[in-house]
Amino acid sequence: MSHPQATAPVLPAPAGQAAVYASFTLGDEEFAIDVRHVQEAVNLPGRIVAMPLAPDFVVGVFNLRGTIVPMLDMRRLLGLGAADDPAVAKVVIVQHRGVRLGLLFDDTRRVMRPRGDEQALFGYQ
């Protein structure tokens, strides 16, 4: 299984504005997503339909108020172990470049405005 390569394809905040991020946890790690791409965070849906032949990190699809949303398990995608308590998992609905996805995290955390030295940016390839 290949792991994500570290890159920095992240757009900076507009000039004169500090970047604002929503953060989420996977075990003891905290990950943040630019709030410009976060639509909302929801509880784990009651019904998830599996996607045959999808990669193992694709949990399936679910219906979010009439919209079918694919869900990715961030633990599997990043090569981490199973969640301690999957009952409290949160699905973060993100939209970027016209694509809407549900990202499965252990829990929500906080909204933050980190300084440049507090950030470690990466992208998935």
Side-chain angles (χ1 to χ4, degrees):
M1 178 174 145
S2 65
H3 293 286
Q5 299 280 327
T7 62
V10 179
L11 297 174
Q17 293 181 5
V20 179
Y21 295 89
S23 71
F24 310 95
T25 58
L26 291 174
D28 294 333
E29 296 292 325
E30 183 175 14
F31 296 85
I33 301 172
D34 189 320
V35 295
R36 293 178 292 174
H37 305 295
V38 176
Q39 179 181 326
E40 64 184 299
V42 298
N43 292 326
L44 193 62
R47 183 163 188 251
I48 301 167
V49 178
M51 296 293 299
L53 305 176
D56 72 335
F57 58 83
V58 176
V59 177
V61 297
F62 68 99
N63 186 329
L64 178 66
R65 295 183 297 280
T67 301
I68 301 303
V69 179
M71 184 176 9
L72 308 182
D73 184 331
M74 297 306 294
R75 283 183 161 278
R76 288 184 195 159
L77 183 67
L78 297 173
L80 304 174
D84 294 333
D85 187 2
V88 298
K90 298 291 183 197
V91 180
V92 179
I93 309 301
V94 297
Q95 188 158 341
H96 182 64
R97 295 183 179 174
V99 176
R100 180 177 293 154
L101 292 171
L103 305 179
L104 183 63
F105 284 95
D106 292 347
D107 206 354
T108 57
R109 185 72 186 253
R110 59 192 169 133
V111 174
M112 58 186 174
R113 292 174 176 80
R115 295 184 311 266
D117 63 339
E118 295 176 317
Q119 298 180 43
L121 303 176
F122 73 95
Y124 185 79
Q125 293 186 344

